[in-house]
Amino acid sequence: MILMKLGGSIITNKEKPLTPNRNSIKKIATSLKNIDEPIIIVHGGGSFGHYWSVKYDMHTKPQRHGAKGVSHVKNSMVELNSIVLESFLESGLNPYCLPPGDFIIGSKPLIKKIKEIPKIAKIGLTPISYGDVMWFGKNKFYILSGDRIMGILSKILHPRLAIFVTNVDGVYSDMKNKNLLSEITEKKPITSKVSMDVTGGMARKIKEAFDISKNGTDVFFVNGNTPRRITNAINGKSFEGTIFRG
């Protein structure tokens, strides 16, 4: 089984609020059509969820937030998820909407529910979950990032591979000089940040990737603008990107 995160940077235009990158989503979906292995997808919020999260100052820490802000974030993620589902359908796949509330209550993963997800993926469906605003209890809400969902699912499901699809070639030790790290086995300084990303940008992805790899799963960072790199990583072929050795 493969667990894959489609970053908000690749499925939306993060510089322009509420703008999906339909062409990119469709190309990635089309490339996955010929993969003969169960795949579980998680996608980020990009210029949808992140836009409203910034506007209403919502973060990953549970806090009291106004109903209007919560509603905007929630509805924008449902809208983006619908766009992703539609693109996957048009590409000949069978997407299955999987809101995080189906397997996480408050901040606690429902292990039995999560263990059922691969069964859905093994019958020809592609479960697609997403980052979202979550009810924490006591009138508090928090942002659950797609990256965190990757970590939660990986810990319980132990996928063969975990892949983070972004709009850059991988992880850089030096963004200015484009020094791409092809393989990572220990922590290195990370300078890549996205100013609009309230869920931690590349730093959050790096942390989750390390945690996932510690459990024995190889983690790949690839550029979704070249979908062939995704399929090459899945098929064990050489590709340009970064791997965290499990």
Side-chain angles (χ1 to χ4, degrees), residues 100-138:
D102 282 5
F103 55 89
I104 296 175
I105 298 297
S107 61
K108 296 181 179 180
L110 303 177
I111 297 177
K112 289 185 178 180
K113 289 284 189 180
I114 291 175
K115 287 184 176 180
E116 294 292 318
I117 299 174
K119 296 179 182 179
I120 298 172
K122 289 177 181 178
I123 62 172
L125 292 167
T126 303
I128 301 182
S129 192
Y130 51 90
D132 203 359
V133 57
M134 302 288 286
W135 166 261
F136 187 75
K138 297 182 179 179

PDB file of all heavy atoms in Angstrom, residues 100-138:
ATOM      1  N   PRO A 100     -11.446  13.667   7.475  1.00  0.00           N
ATOM      2  CA  PRO A 100     -10.685  13.248   8.658  1.00  0.00           C
ATOM      3  C   PRO A 100     -11.555  12.976   9.877  1.00  0.00           C
ATOM      4  O   PRO A 100     -11.183  12.198  10.750  1.00  0.00           O
ATOM      5  CB  PRO A 100      -9.714  14.401   8.898  1.00  0.00           C
ATOM      6  CG  PRO A 100     -10.320  15.565   8.171  1.00  0.00           C
ATOM      7  CD  PRO A 100     -11.037  14.994   6.995  1.00  0.00           C
ATOM      8  N   GLY A 101     -12.738  13.602   9.922  1.00  0.00           N
ATOM      9  CA  GLY A 101     -13.648  13.352  11.030  1.00  0.00           C
ATOM     10  C   GLY A 101     -14.173  11.928  11.062  1.00  0.00           C
ATOM     11  O   GLY A 101     -14.726  11.485  12.074  1.00  0.00           O
ATOM     12  N   ASP A 102     -13.976  11.183   9.953  1.00  0.00           N
ATOM     13  CA  ASP A 102     -14.392   9.787   9.917  1.00  0.00           C
ATOM     14  C   ASP A 102     -13.475   8.889  10.740  1.00  0.00           C
ATOM     15  O   ASP A 102     -13.883   7.791  11.135  1.00  0.00           O
ATOM     16  CB  ASP A 102     -14.396   9.269   8.469  1.00  0.00           C
ATOM     17  CG  ASP A 102     -15.614   9.740   7.690  1.00  0.00           C
ATOM     18  OD1 ASP A 102     -16.398  10.548   8.240  1.00  0.00           O
ATOM     19  OD2 ASP A 102     -15.784   9.299   6.534  1.00  0.00           O
ATOM     20  N   PHE A 103     -12.228   9.361  10.958  1.00  0.00           N
ATOM     21  CA  PHE A 103     -11.294   8.488  11.679  1.00  0.00           C
ATOM     22  C   PHE A 103     -10.483   9.211  12.758  1.00  0.00           C
ATOM     23  O   PHE A 103      -9.582   8.638  13.352  1.00  0.00           O
ATOM     24  CB  PHE A 103     -10.338   7.798  10.690  1.00  0.00           C
ATOM     25  CG  PHE A 103      -9.583   8.742   9.786  1.00  0.00           C
ATOM     26  CD1 PHE A 103      -8.364   9.280  10.162  1.00  0.00           C
ATOM     27  CD2 PHE A 103     -10.092   9.076   8.544  1.00  0.00           C
ATOM     28  CE1 PHE A 103      -7.667  10.136   9.332  1.00  0.00           C
ATOM     29  CE2 PHE A 103      -9.403   9.933   7.688  1.00  0.00           C
ATOM     30  CZ  PHE A 103      -8.189  10.470   8.084  1.00  0.00           C
ATOM     31  N   ILE A 104     -10.841  10.463  13.032  1.00  0.00           N
ATOM     32  CA  ILE A 104     -10.211  11.205  14.123  1.00  0.00           C
ATOM     33  C   ILE A 104     -11.295  11.972  14.874  1.00  0.00           C
ATOM     34  O   ILE A 104     -12.059  12.728  14.272  1.00  0.00           O
ATOM     35  CB  ILE A 104      -9.148  12.199  13.602  1.00  0.00           C
ATOM     36  CG1 ILE A 104      -7.996  11.449  12.928  1.00  0.00           C
ATOM     37  CG2 ILE A 104      -8.610  13.060  14.743  1.00  0.00           C
ATOM     38  CD1 ILE A 104      -6.972  12.359  12.287  1.00  0.00           C
ATOM     39  N   ILE A 105     -11.375  11.774  16.170  1.00  0.00           N
ATOM     40  CA  ILE A 105     -12.316  12.505  17.003  1.00  0.00           C
ATOM     41  C   ILE A 105     -11.520  13.375  17.963  1.00  0.00           C
ATOM     42  O   ILE A 105     -10.688  12.873  18.721  1.00  0.00           O
ATOM     43  CB  ILE A 105     -13.226  11.551  17.801  1.00  0.00           C
ATOM     44  CG1 ILE A 105     -14.064  10.699  16.849  1.00  0.00           C
ATOM     45  CG2 ILE A 105     -14.136  12.343  18.736  1.00  0.00           C
ATOM     46  CD1 ILE A 105     -15.010  11.471  15.977  1.00  0.00           C
ATOM     47  N   GLY A 106     -11.786  14.677  17.951  1.00  0.00           N
ATOM     48  CA  GLY A 106     -10.946  15.592  18.729  1.00  0.00           C
ATOM     49  C   GLY A 106      -9.559  15.562  18.138  1.00  0.00           C
ATOM     50  O   GLY A 106      -9.343  15.981  17.018  1.00  0.00           O
ATOM     51  N   SER A 107      -8.613  15.025  18.875  1.00  0.00           N
ATOM     52  CA  SER A 107      -7.261  14.833  18.339  1.00  0.00           C
ATOM     53  C   SER A 107      -6.852  13.361  18.420  1.00  0.00           C
ATOM     54  O   SER A 107      -5.689  13.030  18.193  1.00  0.00           O
ATOM     55  CB  SER A 107      -6.260  15.695  19.120  1.00  0.00           C
ATOM     56  OG  SER A 107      -6.238  15.312  20.491  1.00  0.00           O
ATOM     57  N   LYS A 108      -7.822  12.494  18.725  1.00  0.00           N
ATOM     58  CA  LYS A 108      -7.514  11.075  18.924  1.00  0.00           C
ATOM     59  C   LYS A 108      -7.868  10.239  17.694  1.00  0.00           C
ATOM     60  O   LYS A 108      -9.016  10.231  17.250  1.00  0.00           O
ATOM     61  CB  LYS A 108      -8.276  10.546  20.146  1.00  0.00           C
ATOM     62  CG  LYS A 108      -7.853  11.200  21.464  1.00  0.00           C
ATOM     63  CD  LYS A 108      -8.621  10.611  22.631  1.00  0.00           C
ATOM     64  CE  LYS A 108      -8.182  11.246  23.945  1.00  0.00           C
ATOM     65  NZ  LYS A 108      -8.924  10.694  25.113  1.00  0.00           N
ATOM     66  N   PRO A 109      -6.881   9.534  17.138  1.00  0.00           N
ATOM     67  CA  PRO A 109      -7.149   8.644  15.999  1.00  0.00           C
ATOM     68  C   PRO A 109      -8.020   7.473  16.429  1.00  0.00           C
ATOM     69  O   PRO A 109      -7.841   6.921  17.517  1.00  0.00           O
ATOM     70  CB  PRO A 109      -5.751   8.163  15.595  1.00  0.00           C
ATOM     71  CG  PRO A 109      -4.797   9.114  16.234  1.00  0.00           C
ATOM     72  CD  PRO A 109      -5.458   9.575  17.488  1.00  0.00           C
ATOM     73  N   LEU A 110      -8.973   7.115  15.600  1.00  0.00           N
ATOM     74  CA  LEU A 110      -9.804   5.948  15.836  1.00  0.00           C
ATOM     75  C   LEU A 110      -9.132   4.777  15.122  1.00  0.00           C
ATOM     76  O   LEU A 110      -9.304   4.573  13.920  1.00  0.00           O
ATOM     77  CB  LEU A 110     -11.215   6.175  15.306  1.00  0.00           C
ATOM     78  CG  LEU A 110     -11.950   7.400  15.871  1.00  0.00           C
ATOM     79  CD1 LEU A 110     -13.322   7.551  15.217  1.00  0.00           C
ATOM     80  CD2 LEU A 110     -12.090   7.300  17.390  1.00  0.00           C
ATOM     81  N   ILE A 111      -8.352   4.018  15.864  1.00  0.00           N
ATOM     82  CA  ILE A 111      -7.492   2.988  15.270  1.00  0.00           C
ATOM     83  C   ILE A 111      -8.281   1.963  14.467  1.00  0.00           C
ATOM     84  O   ILE A 111      -7.892   1.587  13.356  1.00  0.00           O
ATOM     85  CB  ILE A 111      -6.650   2.300  16.359  1.00  0.00           C
ATOM     86  CG1 ILE A 111      -5.718   3.328  17.010  1.00  0.00           C
ATOM     87  CG2 ILE A 111      -5.848   1.148  15.770  1.00  0.00           C
ATOM     88  CD1 ILE A 111      -4.894   2.798  18.152  1.00  0.00           C
ATOM     89  N   LYS A 112      -9.405   1.514  14.997  1.00  0.00           N
ATOM     90  CA  LYS A 112     -10.206   0.512  14.281  1.00  0.00           C
ATOM     91  C   LYS A 112     -10.704   1.061  12.951  1.00  0.00           C
ATOM     92  O   LYS A 112     -10.721   0.355  11.939  1.00  0.00           O
ATOM     93  CB  LYS A 112     -11.379   0.058  15.144  1.00  0.00           C
ATOM     94  CG  LYS A 112     -10.975  -0.812  16.325  1.00  0.00           C
ATOM     95  CD  LYS A 112     -12.193  -1.317  17.075  1.00  0.00           C
ATOM     96  CE  LYS A 112     -11.789  -2.226  18.238  1.00  0.00           C
ATOM     97  NZ  LYS A 112     -12.985  -2.718  18.987  1.00  0.00           N
ATOM     98  N   LYS A 113     -11.112   2.330  12.940  1.00  0.00           N
ATOM     99  CA  LYS A 113     -11.588   2.960  11.713  1.00  0.00           C
ATOM    100  C   LYS A 113     -10.451   3.085  10.696  1.00  0.00           C
ATOM    101  O   LYS A 113     -10.632   2.838   9.496  1.00  0.00           O
ATOM    102  CB  LYS A 113     -12.156   4.339  12.026  1.00  0.00           C
ATOM    103  CG  LYS A 113     -13.464   4.329  12.781  1.00  0.00           C
ATOM    104  CD  LYS A 113     -14.632   3.979  11.871  1.00  0.00           C
ATOM    105  CE  LYS A 113     -15.954   4.183  12.568  1.00  0.00           C
ATOM    106  NZ  LYS A 113     -17.111   3.848  11.686  1.00  0.00           N
ATOM    107  N   ILE A 114      -9.279   3.491  11.176  1.00  0.00           N
ATOM    108  CA  ILE A 114      -8.133   3.672  10.288  1.00  0.00           C
ATOM    109  C   ILE A 114      -7.722   2.346   9.662  1.00  0.00           C
ATOM    110  O   ILE A 114      -7.365   2.287   8.476  1.00  0.00           O
ATOM    111  CB  ILE A 114      -6.957   4.310  11.055  1.00  0.00           C
ATOM    112  CG1 ILE A 114      -7.303   5.768  11.399  1.00  0.00           C
ATOM    113  CG2 ILE A 114      -5.666   4.246  10.249  1.00  0.00           C
ATOM    114  CD1 ILE A 114      -6.281   6.476  12.252  1.00  0.00           C
ATOM    115  N   LYS A 115      -7.786   1.269  10.433  1.00  0.00           N
ATOM    116  CA  LYS A 115      -7.390  -0.035   9.907  1.00  0.00           C
ATOM    117  C   LYS A 115      -8.359  -0.553   8.842  1.00  0.00           C
ATOM    118  O   LYS A 115      -8.045  -1.501   8.116  1.00  0.00           O
ATOM    119  CB  LYS A 115      -7.265  -1.037  11.054  1.00  0.00           C
ATOM    120  CG  LYS A 115      -6.035  -0.809  11.922  1.00  0.00           C
ATOM    121  CD  LYS A 115      -5.889  -1.880  12.984  1.00  0.00           C
ATOM    122  CE  LYS A 115      -4.586  -1.685  13.767  1.00  0.00           C
ATOM    123  NZ  LYS A 115      -4.413  -2.722  14.818  1.00  0.00           N
ATOM    124  N   GLU A 116      -9.527   0.082   8.732  1.00  0.00           N
ATOM    125  CA  GLU A 116     -10.491  -0.301   7.706  1.00  0.00           C
ATOM    126  C   GLU A 116     -10.184   0.372   6.363  1.00  0.00           C
ATOM    127  O   GLU A 116     -10.626  -0.101   5.312  1.00  0.00           O
ATOM    128  CB  GLU A 116     -11.911   0.096   8.137  1.00  0.00           C
ATOM    129  CG  GLU A 116     -12.436  -0.649   9.351  1.00  0.00           C
ATOM    130  CD  GLU A 116     -12.684  -2.116   9.060  1.00  0.00           C
ATOM    131  OE1 GLU A 116     -13.223  -2.425   7.988  1.00  0.00           O
ATOM    132  OE2 GLU A 116     -12.319  -2.960   9.911  1.00  0.00           O
ATOM    133  N   ILE A 117      -9.423   1.470   6.392  1.00  0.00           N
ATOM    134  CA  ILE A 117      -9.175   2.248   5.174  1.00  0.00           C
ATOM    135  C   ILE A 117      -8.507   1.421   4.068  1.00  0.00           C
ATOM    136  O   ILE A 117      -8.908   1.507   2.903  1.00  0.00           O
ATOM    137  CB  ILE A 117      -8.355   3.516   5.497  1.00  0.00           C
ATOM    138  CG1 ILE A 117      -9.137   4.414   6.466  1.00  0.00           C
ATOM    139  CG2 ILE A 117      -8.029   4.287   4.217  1.00  0.00           C
ATOM    140  CD1 ILE A 117      -8.362   5.632   6.956  1.00  0.00           C
ATOM    141  N   PRO A 118      -7.469   0.620   4.378  1.00  0.00           N
ATOM    142  CA  PRO A 118      -6.853  -0.189   3.313  1.00  0.00           C
ATOM    143  C   PRO A 118      -7.833  -1.140   2.627  1.00  0.00           C
ATOM    144  O   PRO A 118      -7.672  -1.450   1.443  1.00  0.00           O
ATOM    145  CB  PRO A 118      -5.764  -0.967   4.056  1.00  0.00           C
ATOM    146  CG  PRO A 118      -5.428  -0.124   5.231  1.00  0.00           C
ATOM    147  CD  PRO A 118      -6.741   0.473   5.643  1.00  0.00           C
ATOM    148  N   LYS A 119      -8.841  -1.593   3.360  1.00  0.00           N
ATOM    149  CA  LYS A 119      -9.838  -2.484   2.763  1.00  0.00           C
ATOM    150  C   LYS A 119     -10.599  -1.763   1.662  1.00  0.00           C
ATOM    151  O   LYS A 119     -10.965  -2.364   0.645  1.00  0.00           O
ATOM    152  CB  LYS A 119     -10.795  -2.989   3.841  1.00  0.00           C
ATOM    153  CG  LYS A 119     -10.125  -3.843   4.909  1.00  0.00           C
ATOM    154  CD  LYS A 119     -11.130  -4.292   5.963  1.00  0.00           C
ATOM    155  CE  LYS A 119     -10.438  -5.099   7.060  1.00  0.00           C
ATOM    156  NZ  LYS A 119     -11.404  -5.523   8.114  1.00  0.00           N
ATOM    157  N   ILE A 120     -10.838  -0.464   1.876  1.00  0.00           N
ATOM    158  CA  ILE A 120     -11.498   0.352   0.852  1.00  0.00           C
ATOM    159  C   ILE A 120     -10.593   0.487  -0.365  1.00  0.00           C
ATOM    160  O   ILE A 120     -11.031   0.371  -1.511  1.00  0.00           O
ATOM    161  CB  ILE A 120     -11.845   1.746   1.414  1.00  0.00           C
ATOM    162  CG1 ILE A 120     -12.818   1.623   2.592  1.00  0.00           C
ATOM    163  CG2 ILE A 120     -12.429   2.647   0.330  1.00  0.00           C
ATOM    164  CD1 ILE A 120     -13.056   2.920   3.333  1.00  0.00           C
ATOM    165  N   ALA A 121      -9.307   0.695  -0.103  1.00  0.00           N
ATOM    166  CA  ALA A 121      -8.342   0.905  -1.186  1.00  0.00           C
ATOM    167  C   ALA A 121      -8.095  -0.361  -2.004  1.00  0.00           C
ATOM    168  O   ALA A 121      -7.696  -0.283  -3.165  1.00  0.00           O
ATOM    169  CB  ALA A 121      -7.024   1.420  -0.610  1.00  0.00           C
ATOM    170  N   LYS A 122      -8.333  -1.519  -1.400  1.00  0.00           N
ATOM    171  CA  LYS A 122      -8.027  -2.783  -2.078  1.00  0.00           C
ATOM    172  C   LYS A 122      -9.149  -3.282  -2.983  1.00  0.00           C
ATOM    173  O   LYS A 122      -8.994  -4.309  -3.639  1.00  0.00           O
ATOM    174  CB  LYS A 122      -7.682  -3.853  -1.038  1.00  0.00           C
ATOM    175  CG  LYS A 122      -6.331  -3.620  -0.369  1.00  0.00           C
ATOM    176  CD  LYS A 122      -6.055  -4.651   0.709  1.00  0.00           C
ATOM    177  CE  LYS A 122      -4.702  -4.380   1.375  1.00  0.00           C
ATOM    178  NZ  LYS A 122      -4.422  -5.350   2.462  1.00  0.00           N
ATOM    179  N   ILE A 123     -10.269  -2.573  -3.026  1.00  0.00           N
ATOM    180  CA  ILE A 123     -11.370  -3.009  -3.882  1.00  0.00           C
ATOM    181  C   ILE A 123     -11.572  -2.084  -5.080  1.00  0.00           C
ATOM    182  O   ILE A 123     -12.642  -2.050  -5.683  1.00  0.00           O
ATOM    183  CB  ILE A 123     -12.689  -3.139  -3.087  1.00  0.00           C
ATOM    184  CG1 ILE A 123     -13.110  -1.782  -2.501  1.00  0.00           C
ATOM    185  CG2 ILE A 123     -12.561  -4.179  -1.992  1.00  0.00           C
ATOM    186  CD1 ILE A 123     -14.508  -1.815  -1.882  1.00  0.00           C
ATOM    187  N   GLY A 124     -10.517  -1.331  -5.408  1.00  0.00           N
ATOM    188  CA  GLY A 124     -10.580  -0.486  -6.596  1.00  0.00           C
ATOM    189  C   GLY A 124     -10.935   0.966  -6.344  1.00  0.00           C
ATOM    190  O   GLY A 124     -11.038   1.755  -7.289  1.00  0.00           O
ATOM    191  N   LEU A 125     -11.116   1.336  -5.078  1.00  0.00           N
ATOM    192  CA  LEU A 125     -11.396   2.731  -4.733  1.00  0.00           C
ATOM    193  C   LEU A 125     -10.111   3.420  -4.273  1.00  0.00           C
ATOM    194  O   LEU A 125      -9.173   2.770  -3.821  1.00  0.00           O
ATOM    195  CB  LEU A 125     -12.443   2.803  -3.622  1.00  0.00           C
ATOM    196  CG  LEU A 125     -13.857   2.344  -3.989  1.00  0.00           C
ATOM    197  CD1 LEU A 125     -14.712   2.171  -2.736  1.00  0.00           C
ATOM    198  CD2 LEU A 125     -14.517   3.337  -4.936  1.00  0.00           C
ATOM    199  N   THR A 126     -10.089   4.743  -4.390  1.00  0.00           N
ATOM    200  CA  THR A 126      -8.946   5.526  -3.914  1.00  0.00           C
ATOM    201  C   THR A 126      -9.415   6.458  -2.803  1.00  0.00           C
ATOM    202  O   THR A 126      -9.995   7.517  -3.073  1.00  0.00           O
ATOM    203  CB  THR A 126      -8.330   6.362  -5.056  1.00  0.00           C
ATOM    204  OG1 THR A 126      -7.954   5.503  -6.135  1.00  0.00           O
ATOM    205  CG2 THR A 126      -7.104   7.118  -4.554  1.00  0.00           C
ATOM    206  N   PRO A 127      -9.214   6.079  -1.535  1.00  0.00           N
ATOM    207  CA  PRO A 127      -9.612   6.956  -0.428  1.00  0.00           C
ATOM    208  C   PRO A 127      -8.851   8.282  -0.508  1.00  0.00           C
ATOM    209  O   PRO A 127      -7.634   8.296  -0.671  1.00  0.00           O
ATOM    210  CB  PRO A 127      -9.207   6.159   0.813  1.00  0.00           C
ATOM    211  CG  PRO A 127      -9.131   4.735   0.347  1.00  0.00           C
ATOM    212  CD  PRO A 127      -8.633   4.817  -1.065  1.00  0.00           C
ATOM    213  N   ILE A 128      -9.574   9.379  -0.381  1.00  0.00           N
ATOM    214  CA  ILE A 128      -8.943  10.702  -0.431  1.00  0.00           C
ATOM    215  C   ILE A 128      -9.388  11.515   0.781  1.00  0.00           C
ATOM    216  O   ILE A 128     -10.554  11.893   0.912  1.00  0.00           O
ATOM    217  CB  ILE A 128      -9.300  11.457  -1.722  1.00  0.00           C
ATOM    218  CG1 ILE A 128      -8.839  10.650  -2.946  1.00  0.00           C
ATOM    219  CG2 ILE A 128      -8.660  12.839  -1.716  1.00  0.00           C
ATOM    220  CD1 ILE A 128      -9.093  11.338  -4.273  1.00  0.00           C
ATOM    221  N   SER A 129      -8.440  11.772   1.691  1.00  0.00           N
ATOM    222  CA  SER A 129      -8.697  12.588   2.861  1.00  0.00           C
ATOM    223  C   SER A 129      -8.023  13.948   2.687  1.00  0.00           C
ATOM    224  O   SER A 129      -7.378  14.206   1.664  1.00  0.00           O
ATOM    225  CB  SER A 129      -8.199  11.891   4.132  1.00  0.00           C
ATOM    226  OG  SER A 129      -8.691  12.544   5.288  1.00  0.00           O
ATOM    227  N   TYR A 130      -8.122  14.807   3.689  1.00  0.00           N
ATOM    228  CA  TYR A 130      -7.598  16.166   3.532  1.00  0.00           C
ATOM    229  C   TYR A 130      -7.440  16.864   4.881  1.00  0.00           C
ATOM    230  O   TYR A 130      -8.088  16.498   5.868  1.00  0.00           O
ATOM    231  CB  TYR A 130      -8.523  16.994   2.634  1.00  0.00           C
ATOM    232  CG  TYR A 130      -9.985  16.956   3.049  1.00  0.00           C
ATOM    233  CD1 TYR A 130     -10.517  17.881   3.943  1.00  0.00           C
ATOM    234  CD2 TYR A 130     -10.841  15.979   2.538  1.00  0.00           C
ATOM    235  CE1 TYR A 130     -11.847  17.846   4.318  1.00  0.00           C
ATOM    236  CE2 TYR A 130     -12.180  15.919   2.911  1.00  0.00           C
ATOM    237  CZ  TYR A 130     -12.677  16.859   3.794  1.00  0.00           C
ATOM    238  OH  TYR A 130     -13.999  16.807   4.177  1.00  0.00           O
ATOM    239  N   GLY A 131      -6.574  17.862   4.895  1.00  0.00           N
ATOM    240  CA  GLY A 131      -6.433  18.687   6.086  1.00  0.00           C
ATOM    241  C   GLY A 131      -7.724  19.449   6.327  1.00  0.00           C
ATOM    242  O   GLY A 131      -8.437  19.780   5.380  1.00  0.00           O
ATOM    243  N   ASP A 132      -8.028  19.757   7.585  1.00  0.00           N
ATOM    244  CA  ASP A 132      -9.337  20.351   7.875  1.00  0.00           C
ATOM    245  C   ASP A 132      -9.310  21.067   9.218  1.00  0.00           C
ATOM    246  O   ASP A 132      -8.359  20.920  10.004  1.00  0.00           O
ATOM    247  CB  ASP A 132     -10.394  19.240   7.900  1.00  0.00           C
ATOM    248  CG  ASP A 132     -11.801  19.746   7.639  1.00  0.00           C
ATOM    249  OD1 ASP A 132     -11.974  20.968   7.447  1.00  0.00           O
ATOM    250  OD2 ASP A 132     -12.721  18.919   7.628  1.00  0.00           O
ATOM    251  N   VAL A 133     -10.367  21.823   9.491  1.00  0.00           N
ATOM    252  CA  VAL A 133     -10.546  22.396  10.815  1.00  0.00           C
ATOM    253  C   VAL A 133     -11.343  21.378  11.620  1.00  0.00           C
ATOM    254  O   VAL A 133     -12.346  20.846  11.145  1.00  0.00           O
ATOM    255  CB  VAL A 133     -11.266  23.766  10.763  1.00  0.00           C
ATOM    256  CG1 VAL A 133     -12.617  23.665  10.078  1.00  0.00           C
ATOM    257  CG2 VAL A 133     -11.422  24.349  12.165  1.00  0.00           C
ATOM    258  N   MET A 134     -10.874  21.101  12.846  1.00  0.00           N
ATOM    259  CA  MET A 134     -11.466  20.024  13.643  1.00  0.00           C
ATOM    260  C   MET A 134     -12.003  20.547  14.976  1.00  0.00           C
ATOM    261  O   MET A 134     -11.396  21.404  15.618  1.00  0.00           O
ATOM    262  CB  MET A 134     -10.408  18.949  13.915  1.00  0.00           C
ATOM    263  CG  MET A 134      -9.779  18.344  12.666  1.00  0.00           C
ATOM    264  SD  MET A 134     -10.884  17.262  11.771  1.00  0.00           S
ATOM    265  CE  MET A 134     -10.888  15.830  12.857  1.00  0.00           C
ATOM    266  N   TRP A 135     -13.138  20.000  15.360  1.00  0.00           N
ATOM    267  CA  TRP A 135     -13.725  20.277  16.680  1.00  0.00           C
ATOM    268  C   TRP A 135     -12.905  19.559  17.737  1.00  0.00           C
ATOM    269  O   TRP A 135     -12.666  18.360  17.648  1.00  0.00           O
ATOM    270  CB  TRP A 135     -15.163  19.784  16.689  1.00  0.00           C
ATOM    271  CG  TRP A 135     -15.802  19.688  18.043  1.00  0.00           C
ATOM    272  CD1 TRP A 135     -15.949  18.558  18.790  1.00  0.00           C
ATOM    273  CD2 TRP A 135     -16.406  20.735  18.788  1.00  0.00           C
ATOM    274  NE1 TRP A 135     -16.611  18.840  19.968  1.00  0.00           N
ATOM    275  CE2 TRP A 135     -16.902  20.171  20.001  1.00  0.00           C
ATOM    276  CE3 TRP A 135     -16.576  22.103  18.576  1.00  0.00           C
ATOM    277  CZ2 TRP A 135     -17.554  20.927  20.962  1.00  0.00           C
ATOM    278  CZ3 TRP A 135     -17.221  22.849  19.545  1.00  0.00           C
ATOM    279  CH2 TRP A 135     -17.706  22.272  20.724  1.00  0.00           C
ATOM    280  N   PHE A 136     -12.457  20.299  18.749  1.00  0.00           N
ATOM    281  CA  PHE A 136     -11.613  19.724  19.794  1.00  0.00           C
ATOM    282  C   PHE A 136     -12.385  19.487  21.086  1.00  0.00           C
ATOM    283  O   PHE A 136     -11.973  18.715  21.941  1.00  0.00           O
ATOM    284  CB  PHE A 136     -10.424  20.651  20.074  1.00  0.00           C
ATOM    285  CG  PHE A 136      -9.410  20.072  21.015  1.00  0.00           C
ATOM    286  CD1 PHE A 136      -8.528  19.091  20.589  1.00  0.00           C
ATOM    287  CD2 PHE A 136      -9.335  20.509  22.335  1.00  0.00           C
ATOM    288  CE1 PHE A 136      -7.589  18.543  21.461  1.00  0.00           C
ATOM    289  CE2 PHE A 136      -8.395  19.973  23.215  1.00  0.00           C
ATOM    290  CZ  PHE A 136      -7.518  18.990  22.766  1.00  0.00           C
ATOM    291  N   GLY A 137     -13.531  20.140  21.206  1.00  0.00           N
ATOM    292  CA  GLY A 137     -14.303  20.077  22.448  1.00  0.00           C
ATOM    293  C   GLY A 137     -14.169  21.371  23.226  1.00  0.00           C
ATOM    294  O   GLY A 137     -13.238  22.151  23.014  1.00  0.00           O
ATOM    295  N   LYS A 138     -15.118  21.627  24.113  1.00  0.00           N
ATOM    296  CA  LYS A 138     -15.112  22.846  24.943  1.00  0.00           C
ATOM    297  C   LYS A 138     -15.024  24.095  24.069  1.00  0.00           C
ATOM    298  O   LYS A 138     -14.300  25.048  24.383  1.00  0.00           O
ATOM    299  CB  LYS A 138     -13.955  22.804  25.937  1.00  0.00           C
ATOM    300  CG  LYS A 138     -14.046  21.657  26.934  1.00  0.00           C
ATOM    301  CD  LYS A 138     -12.900  21.682  27.927  1.00  0.00           C
ATOM    302  CE  LYS A 138     -13.025  20.537  28.917  1.00  0.00           C
ATOM    303  NZ  LYS A 138     -11.905  20.516  29.907  1.00  0.00           N
TER     304      LYS A 138
END
